[in-house]
Amino acid sequence: MALIAPVCPAAPTRGGCRHRSCANRARVPPSVERAGRCLGWVAAGDGARKRGASVATSNIEIAQRAELWPITRIAEGLGIPEEALEPYGRHKAKVALSHLAALRDRPRGRLVLMTAISPTPAGEGKTTTTVGLGDALNRIGERAMICLREPALGPVFGMKGGAAGGGYAQVVPMEDINLHFTGDFAAIAVATNLLAALIDNHIHHGNALDIDVRRVTWRRVLDVNDRALRDTVIGLGGPGNGYPRESGFDIVVASEVMAIFCLASSLEDLKNRLGEIVVAYTRDRAPVRARDLHAHGAMAAILRDALAPNLVQTLEHTPAFVHGGPFANIAHGCNSFIATDSALRLADYVVTEAGFGADLGAEKFVDILCRSTGLRPDAAVIVATVRAVKYHGGVEVADLASEDVAAVTRGIVNLERHLTTVRETWGIPAVVAINHRAEDTDAEIAALVGAVEAAGARAVVAKHFADGGAGAEDLAREVVRLCAEPVERGLRFTYPDEAGLWQKMSAIATRVYGASGITASTAVRAQIRRLQEDGYGGYPVCVAKTQYSFSTDAKLRGAPTGHSVDIREVRLAAGARFIVMVCGDIMTMPGLPAIPAANTIDVTEDGRIVGLF
Amino acid sequence: MALIAPVCPAAPTRGGCRHRSCANRARVPPSVERAGRCLGWVAAGDGARKRGASVATSNIEIAQRAELWPITRIAEGLGIPEEALEPYGRHKAKVALSHLAALRDRPRGRLVLMTAISPTPAGEGKTTTTVGLGDALNRIGERAMICLREPALGPVFGMKGGAAGGGYAQVVPMEDINLHFTGDFAAIAVATNLLAALIDNHIHHGNALDIDVRRVTWRRVLDVNDRALRDTVIGLGGPGNGYPRESGFDIVVASEVMAIFCLASSLEDLKNRLGEIVVAYTRDRAPVRARDLHAHGAMAAILRDALAPNLVQTLEHTPAFVHGGPFANIAHGCNSFIATDSALRLADYVVTEAGFGADLGAEKFVDILCRSTGLRPDAAVIVATVRAVKYHGGVEVADLASEDVAAVTRGIVNLERHLTTVRETWGIPAVVAINHRAEDTDAEIAALVGAVEAAGARAVVAKHFADGGAGAEDLAREVVRLCAEPVERGLRFTYPDEAGLWQKMSAIATRVYGASGITASTAVRAQIRRLQEDGYGGYPVCVAKTQYSFSTDAKLRGAPTGHSVDIREVRLAAGARFIVMVCGDIMTMPGLPAIPAANTIDVTEDGRIVGLF
């Protein structure tokens, strides 16, 4: 398997390249903001060759070469009539909420949750595996759809590249999905920022609600990675510009509006939840809500069109809803409920992904999303790579490309714990998908498969990145088998509704993270007590912590035990109806690297976008 | 003509309502940010009755009742094939740039410029008259199109309401056009903000270009009216967040990217101009351009889809391009050149509007847009209202509803000067359109018509607001007559390209504003000299001043002479290729009023947007 094109010109300048199969990939420097990046070439694997590609090809090139079907044809396959579609060009469409609401008495299909091992910084491929599994399910004769989160625009110009899958497992049109798509995130940003403007405007015009300018919690958002906006002082320049105060900006996916958007079951529910957002406190510490500012109606009007899910297709024409995209740390990290629920009425199998590893994404999927909406996964797929297992076995990033079977055996503990949580704690039948990479050796894969089997589950190698849906047929068959198994008890939550907030956090820490307990400062304990007293005790907890470890220390790999989880900060998300417990440094506005992707992204004279991957 | 519905509940709280035909309209308080607003009811005029409407109706209600044609049918009428359309729903579409580029060898149709008398704060109705004239031209058998600016989203939630026309002269779908439309402004905001992030990111990562953090001129933008963001300090919070510095936000229409977007002739031209933007100066005062930050390729990629013009229709199915919308003070205030030029290849008559009165909007249309693009108007329509003429005749806003023929006779001087400039200075055949209002008396109209005729021109009463295109047929016939007149000399500019910047500003002040001359501080003079030395002397001048007076004093109505124009500030727009001369207080980020429109805008359970007008 040879790399043909010149790869990764930037990587040599500062450590390695993170792009799959890039020759310079060996070293991934620990810094989150890395300078170097590969230009997006991938190896000319079997899949590429099968499709007649004789040279190495980037994600965007594969996507641009794809023959897309008209979106009306994709919709027709789902039984969605043309009049229920709002087309955005020929290959994207929103499906009218009125049409989807009418499907709600149909029985739901099978729901498959895509989750993962604690990831390495490169990510282990949940999105590609979701695409590959969807394609494979269709190939083996099932009627399948996938549901994904919309990529944020900001990171595309940083170092993340696109988030529409990769290789031969992508959703398309890839550039559109990675750029403005259908404008949902722009609408969410405007709704968020209008609310912010209404707060400062209220204070400026007399502050009848007695808002304490020191206690405005609502922040503005942009869909740009812009570290300079994390901490700001606004309202400077004299009385005409309002009252100076400290504030800041987050990236749009971190807005509570995004979380609400993805949890809402209808336009009405959306509006109600928007009204419940607590944006500030009075000098008497009473909450001030969006409803008090009469903001929620206008915000809902701004979001009306966005709330209809976006229909696109995979490279193999599997229908896909790509809709909503809340952060998986300070929010629950799943695509919109409306998309998933609608897909379940339209298809027999729906694959959806949760953010990060199972300890974060799947936990929130279960305890926040399933709890509030009634969604119930029939099976879970836990994506692992040999690379990630070795990483948890103690191998340094620089050495991950070399064979190390012993490290696989050591690192399996991380995967095992996720598997146990998913299967035993929550009661979801699960399979491990080994997302195959070029450098994986047979011995390593055999060790991994063996270890999973020793743990009482199955592991299936999936090669969808190189081979598309054909590479994931074994996985699809195993998923179908799992879904057909008789269910013993159904989904179990990590904690009951009626547990206190402290008990809920404690249950997550001990039952999911393997911790010995939780700690918090007196101030944080008081805050939790107050939220409990104020009637928010019934809300689930949304933990913001590192995705790289079960603990709050990103460097603690494998399956640490005995650690304790310190709650640094608590935030009320009254509209999303959960309590965020921040356990570690959480960045809600990313920065750009020294050499951002924006430097190489370009558009040709004839309108072709290049440099995006 | 009776008002049937309860109107303007808010107006009594603070002065009058500005909404056309609202019973409480008499008093318009001088403050720009007024508290009260009418809920958007208009009188049940002849037009409404003709259409079977038995009760008073708001703009949005008229728009929502309209039967729209599929946008494919509108396109078909223009000879645009379906494959050249990128539909956004059923009633909006972008027309592919590749298709439009192929039309460039077709002869251009007749271009009609819509401009106005110096407006009152309520505006005199250029947009409605553009719509009405377009409809009327089609009614009398011509093939006409209109070109309009896209409304900014921010002001919709303030006090401005929508900007898609009004009454029976609207472009539709009105809510879409006033809200996100096709995402163009969101794309312009992201491009602007990405450039800003790249500047601070460059400084953060070592500042190889030696950017002086005190001399970063590029500002971020939002499409929200948010006074608290006018003056800010960013980059606070420690080394990880960059270097603290002063900065601020403008509304998106004030971005130089918007001006460039509307002047660009192609994607390539757009990218080149984006690269030329001067964003900062080094400590040696050398300019730093977007190109130096490698930002222009990514910015152009972000704007690629937006650059294709948006096709919609009027209530009477006249095709309309609604595309781009730069400020008319710090920018040139016209819809995109691509839209106007394309429309001229598709229709025999194209009506397009310029911002504010003729001294600002038409002057920039001529000296900036026509100069750089080769567009040449065949006729101009100067919109006046009896109300505005009386205002210039010295009547206070509170008394404008009462008949005052003498004031009409006095106030005509303002209109006369615009007429003279348009016809004699620039050589454009012109007609005055009297945009009819319910309270206008026959005697006032007769006085106005007589005065215009005494000045050697014609004035035509137009009733498109109440009657649609039928109300503007006389105007249409006069426009056709003007366009058919033999042209003596063609368009003349206010100043030649080769004049110095000071001379250019001086020519505008004396020839268009009737001023005796211009002044500037030593610092501003030095700045102008430096721009001249740096090679920007060939650029046209873009004046930012009040639209309410020929002078820089908004209170000086009529046609002041002998005044002098002080240049307070000079700004280089190197990508837009003009020099902004700021003559007065110019607000580039509006605020919200005490009772913003957002309070009443809402969406019903079945998805109907209400409260927007």
Side-chain angles (χ1 to χ4, degrees):
Chain A
M1 199 154 169
L3 279 157
I4 295 152
V7 293
C8 196
T13 63
R14 241 199 236 184
C17 162
R18 62 183 287 251
H19 198 264
R20 169 184 288 265
S21 302
C22 165
N24 293 315
R25 198 174 180 192
R27 293 193 63 84
V28 178
S31 153
V32 177
E33 294 176 3
R34 288 188 303 283
R37 75 178 326 210
C38 160
L39 284 180
W41 297 92
V42 296
D46 287 345
R49 271 199 293 277
K50 255 183 235 158
R51 284 166 185 78
S54 59
V55 294
T57 307
S58 70
N59 290 345
I60 191 170
E61 284 174 334
I62 293 172
Q64 286 176 343
R65 262 203 329 249
E67 272 186 40
L68 277 63
W69 287 356
I71 200 64
T72 44
R73 182 171 167 192
I74 300 290
E76 204 186 319
L78 294 167
I80 301 172
E82 198 167 337
E83 57 271 22
L85 290 185
E86 282 280 300
Y88 283 67
R90 247 170 294 284
H91 302 115
K92 302 167 284 178
K94 283 189 169 282
V95 183
L97 289 177
S98 53
H99 177 77
L100 297 173
L103 307 180
R104 289 207 182 156
D105 42 13
R106 285 195 196 170
R108 282 174 172 161
R110 306 287 195 171
L111 178 58
V112 181
L113 171 65
M114 187 67 60
T115 184
I117 188 171
S118 301
T120 65
E124 308 320 311
K126 283 191 306 290
T127 303
T128 53
T129 310
T130 301
V131 174
L133 176 56
D135 288 342
L137 283 164
N138 280 319
R139 286 179 67 95
I140 65 168
E142 305 294 345
R143 292 184 61 250
M145 254 194 101
I146 63 170
C147 291
L148 293 172
R149 291 171 290 174
E150 298 179 57
L153 180 56
V156 168
F157 297 98
M159 52 149 257
K160 185 168 167 289
Y168 288 92
Q170 295 189 52
V171 279
V172 280
M174 177 265 210
E175 310 99 291
D176 301 49
I177 293 170
N178 278 310
L179 296 177
H180 313 289
F181 199 21
T182 57
D184 295 343
F185 283 21
I188 289 167
V190 169
T192 304
N193 293 333
L194 174 64
L195 178 55
L198 289 168
I199 297 165
D200 282 299
N201 189 58
H202 178 87
I203 297 168
H204 176 71
H205 285 294
N207 199 6
L209 292 170
D210 193 34
I211 292 171
D212 185 341
V213 294
R214 305 162 305 176
R215 290 198 171 85
V216 178
T217 49
W218 194 247
R219 289 161 62 89
R220 290 164 176 84
V221 295
L222 285 182
D223 204 357
V224 175
N225 286 16
D226 194 346
R227 71 171 66 71
L229 296 181
R230 287 172 189 155
D231 284 300
T232 64
V233 172
I234 62 171
L236 297 170
N241 297 352
Y243 292 86
R245 65 180 185 85
E246 287 183 65
S247 190
F249 287 70
D250 294 327
I251 191 148
V252 67
V253 298
S255 170
E256 188 181 339
V257 175
M258 177 68 87
I260 291 171
F261 182 89
C262 289
L263 288 165
S265 59
S266 67
L267 189 57
E268 198 192 354
D269 185 34
L270 176 81
K271 187 161 79 179
N272 281 337
R273 285 168 173 269
L274 291 170
E276 289 169 22
I277 296 172
V278 171
V279 298
Y281 293 87
T282 67
R283 269 168 283 198
D284 295 334
R285 306 261 188 128
V288 179
R289 292 166 198 279
R291 191 182 304 282
D292 301 323
L293 295 159
H294 309 290
H296 56 307
M299 291 170 75
I302 291 169
L303 295 170
R304 180 193 64 172
D305 293 347
L307 197 61
N310 307 301
L311 182 64
V312 290
Q313 63 193 290
T314 69
L315 291 173
E316 299 184 9
H317 315 301
T318 296
F321 278 144
V322 178
H323 195 223
F327 245 161
N329 48 40
I330 63 156
H332 64 292
C334 311
N335 63 264
S336 79
F337 166 69
I338 286 180
T340 303
D341 189 51
S342 303
L344 286 167
R345 318 295 179 172
L346 293 164
D348 295 332
Y349 285 86
V350 174
V351 189
T352 183
E353 60 167 351
F356 299 146
D359 56 330
L360 278 164
E363 189 274 315
K364 293 172 187 187
F365 183 87
V366 167
D367 286 318
I368 299 176
L369 186 67
C370 291
R371 190 189 296 266
S372 74
T373 62
L375 286 180
R376 293 294 179 266
D378 295 280
V381 176
I382 305 177
V383 179
T385 55
V386 168
R387 173 191 169 83
V389 176
K390 288 194 287 187
Y391 178 77
H392 287 291
V395 177
E396 289 314 304
V397 171
D399 305 321
L400 283 173
S402 319
E403 186 183 74
D404 191 339
V405 177
V408 172
T409 310
R410 286 195 306 275
I412 192 73
V413 290
N414 182 280
L415 181 58
E416 272 173 1
R417 185 179 288 171
H418 289 297
L419 203 49
T420 305
T421 313
V422 171
R423 301 207 310 163
E424 293 173 22
T425 308
W426 300 324
I428 311 169
V431 57
V432 171
I434 303 176
N435 186 11
H436 184 261
R437 299 168 51 80
E439 72 267 27
D440 297 348
T441 69
D442 290 347
E444 289 174 325
I445 289 174
L448 180 48
V449 170
V452 172
E453 279 175 5
R458 286 197 195 170
V460 180
V461 175
K463 298 187 171 178
H464 44 276
F465 187 92
D467 295 339
E473 286 186 16
D474 290 347
L475 178 63
R477 276 184 284 268
E478 178 61 13
V479 164
V480 169
R481 192 189 67 76
L482 282 178
C483 288
E485 276 191 350
V487 176
E488 264 175 60
R489 289 180 48 196
L491 185 71
R492 299 184 288 275
F493 302 120
T494 311
Y495 49 80
D497 285 9
E498 56 278 12
L501 294 172
W502 183 267
Q503 286 70 33
K504 285 174 178 169
M505 182 66 224
S506 181
I508 296 170
T510 53
R511 303 192 66 197
V512 182
Y513 306 160
S516 57
I518 59 173
T519 58
S521 66
T522 316
V524 168
R525 282 169 182 268
Q527 220 184 331
I528 293 172
R529 222 168 17 241
R530 195 179 164 108
L531 285 169
Q532 192 81 41
E533 287 163 10
D534 286 352
Y536 300 113
Y539 285 180
V541 162
C542 180
V543 183
K545 75 160 187 64
T546 178
Q547 68 266 38
Y548 299 122
S549 172
F550 279 112
S551 76
T552 56
D553 175 1
K555 296 191 204 77
L556 265 188
R557 307 183 202 172
T561 53
H563 53 101
S564 92
V565 174
D566 186 56
I567 310 165
R568 292 208 197 165
E569 192 192 331
V570 179
R571 297 183 196 169
L572 169 63
R577 298 180 193 154
F578 53 66
I579 306 294
V580 180
M581 301 227 177
V582 182
C583 306
D585 290 324
I586 293 302
M587 182 75 83
T588 51
M589 172 56 97
L592 292 168
I595 302 173
N599 288 12
T600 45
I601 292 172
D602 202 349
V603 57
T604 62
E605 235 174 275
D606 60 345
R608 207 164 43 85
I609 288 174
V610 295
L612 178 68
F613 72 106
Chain B
M1 199 154 172
L3 280 158
I4 295 153
V7 293
C8 198
T13 62
R14 238 199 239 186
C17 163
R18 62 184 287 251
H19 198 263
R20 169 185 288 266
S21 302
C22 165
N24 293 316
R25 196 174 182 192
R27 295 192 62 85
V28 177
S31 151
V32 177
E33 293 175 4
R34 288 189 301 282
R37 74 181 325 215
C38 161
L39 283 180
W41 298 92
V42 298
D46 288 345
R49 272 198 293 278
K50 257 183 231 157
R51 285 166 184 78
S54 61
V55 294
T57 307
S58 70
N59 290 345
I60 191 169
E61 284 173 334
I62 292 173
Q64 286 176 343
R65 263 205 326 249
E67 273 186 42
L68 277 64
W69 287 357
I71 201 62
T72 43
R73 181 171 168 191
I74 301 290
E76 204 186 318
L78 294 168
I80 301 172
E82 199 166 337
E83 58 271 22
L85 291 185
E86 281 281 300
Y88 284 67
R90 248 170 291 283
H91 302 117
K92 303 168 283 179
K94 284 191 168 280
V95 183
L97 289 177
S98 54
H99 177 78
L100 297 173
L103 307 179
R104 288 210 181 152
D105 43 11
R106 285 194 194 171
R108 280 173 172 161
R110 306 287 196 172
L111 179 57
V112 181
L113 170 65
M114 188 66 59
T115 184
I117 188 171
S118 301
T120 65
E124 308 319 312
K126 284 192 304 292
T127 302
T128 53
T129 310
T130 301
V131 173
L133 176 57
D135 287 342
L137 283 165
N138 280 319
R139 286 181 68 94
I140 66 169
E142 305 294 344
R143 291 185 61 250
M145 252 192 104
I146 63 170
C147 290
L148 293 172
R149 290 171 289 173
E150 296 179 58
L153 180 57
V156 168
F157 297 98
M159 51 151 260
K160 187 169 167 288
Y168 288 93
Q170 296 190 52
V171 279
V172 281
M174 177 265 209
E175 310 99 290
D176 300 50
I177 294 170
N178 278 310
L179 296 176
H180 313 288
F181 200 21
T182 58
D184 295 343
F185 284 20
I188 289 167
V190 170
T192 304
N193 293 334
L194 174 63
L195 178 53
L198 289 169
I199 297 165
D200 282 299
N201 188 59
H202 178 87
I203 297 168
H204 176 71
H205 284 294
N207 199 7
L209 292 169
D210 194 34
I211 292 171
D212 185 341
V213 293
R214 305 162 305 178
R215 291 197 171 86
V216 178
T217 50
W218 194 248
R219 288 161 63 89
R220 290 163 176 85
V221 295
L222 286 182
D223 205 358
V224 174
N225 286 14
D226 194 346
R227 70 171 67 72
L229 296 181
R230 287 172 189 155
D231 284 301
T232 64
V233 172
I234 62 172
L236 297 171
N241 297 353
Y243 292 85
R245 64 180 185 86
E246 287 183 64
S247 189
F249 287 70
D250 295 326
I251 191 150
V252 67
V253 298
S255 170
E256 188 182 340
V257 175
M258 178 68 87
I260 291 171
F261 183 89
C262 288
L263 287 164
S265 58
S266 66
L267 189 56
E268 199 193 354
D269 184 35
L270 175 81
K271 187 162 77 178
N272 281 335
R273 286 169 172 268
L274 292 170
E276 289 170 23
I277 296 172
V278 171
V279 297
Y281 293 86
T282 66
R283 270 169 282 197
D284 294 334
R285 305 259 189 130
V288 178
R289 293 168 197 280
R291 191 182 305 283
D292 302 325
L293 295 159
H294 309 292
H296 56 306
M299 292 170 74
I302 290 170
L303 295 169
R304 179 193 67 172
D305 293 348
L307 197 61
N310 307 303
L311 182 65
V312 290
Q313 62 193 290
T314 69
L315 290 173
E316 300 184 9
H317 315 300
T318 296
F321 277 145
V322 178
H323 195 223
F327 245 161
N329 48 40
I330 63 156
H332 64 293
C334 311
N335 62 265
S336 79
F337 165 69
I338 286 180
T340 303
D341 189 52
S342 302
L344 287 167
R345 319 295 179 170
L346 292 165
D348 296 331
Y349 286 85
V350 174
V351 189
T352 182
E353 61 166 350
F356 297 147
D359 56 330
L360 278 165
E363 189 275 315
K364 293 172 186 186
F365 183 87
V366 167
D367 287 318
I368 297 177
L369 185 66
C370 290
R371 190 188 297 265
S372 74
T373 62
L375 286 180
R376 294 294 179 264
D378 294 281
V381 176
I382 304 177
V383 179
T385 53
V386 167
R387 174 191 170 83
V389 176
K390 288 194 289 187
Y391 178 77
H392 287 291
V395 177
E396 289 315 303
V397 171
D399 306 322
L400 283 173
S402 318
E403 186 184 73
D404 191 340
V405 177
V408 172
T409 310
R410 286 194 308 274
I412 192 73
V413 289
N414 182 281
L415 182 59
E416 271 172 3
R417 186 180 287 171
H418 288 298
L419 203 48
T420 305
T421 312
V422 171
R423 302 209 307 164
E424 294 173 21
T425 309
W426 299 326
I428 311 169
V431 56
V432 171
I434 303 174
N435 186 11
H436 185 260
R437 298 169 51 80
E439 72 266 27
D440 297 347
T441 70
D442 290 347
E444 289 174 326
I445 289 174
L448 180 48
V449 170
V452 172
E453 279 174 4
R458 286 198 196 168
V460 180
V461 176
K463 297 186 172 179
H464 45 275
F465 187 92
D467 295 340
E473 286 187 16
D474 289 348
L475 178 63
R477 276 184 285 269
E478 178 61 13
V479 164
V480 169
R481 192 188 68 75
L482 282 178
C483 288
E485 275 191 350
V487 176
E488 264 174 56
R489 289 180 49 195
L491 185 71
R492 299 183 289 276
F493 300 121
T494 310
Y495 49 80
D497 284 8
E498 56 277 13
L501 293 173
W502 183 267
Q503 286 72 33
K504 285 173 178 168
M505 181 67 225
S506 180
I508 296 170
T510 54
R511 303 190 67 197
V512 181
Y513 305 161
S516 58
I518 59 174
T519 58
S521 66
T522 317
V524 167
R525 281 169 184 268
Q527 220 185 332
I528 292 173
R529 222 167 19 240
R530 195 181 165 107
L531 285 169
Q532 192 82 41
E533 287 163 9
D534 286 351
Y536 299 114
Y539 284 0
V541 162
C542 180
V543 183
K545 74 160 187 65
T546 178
Q547 68 266 38
Y548 299 122
S549 172
F550 280 111
S551 76
T552 55
D553 175 0
K555 295 190 204 78
L556 264 187
R557 308 184 202 171
T561 52
H563 54 103
S564 92
V565 175
D566 187 57
I567 310 165
R568 292 207 198 166
E569 190 192 332
V570 179
R571 295 182 198 171
L572 169 63
R577 298 180 192 154
F578 54 64
I579 306 294
V580 181
M581 300 226 177
V582 181
C583 306
D585 290 323
I586 293 303
M587 183 75 83
T588 50
M589 172 55 97
L592 292 168
I595 303 173
N599 288 12
T600 45
I601 293 172
D602 203 349
V603 58
T604 62
E605 235 173 276
D606 61 344
R608 206 165 44 85
I609 288 174
V610 296
L612 179 67
F613 70 106

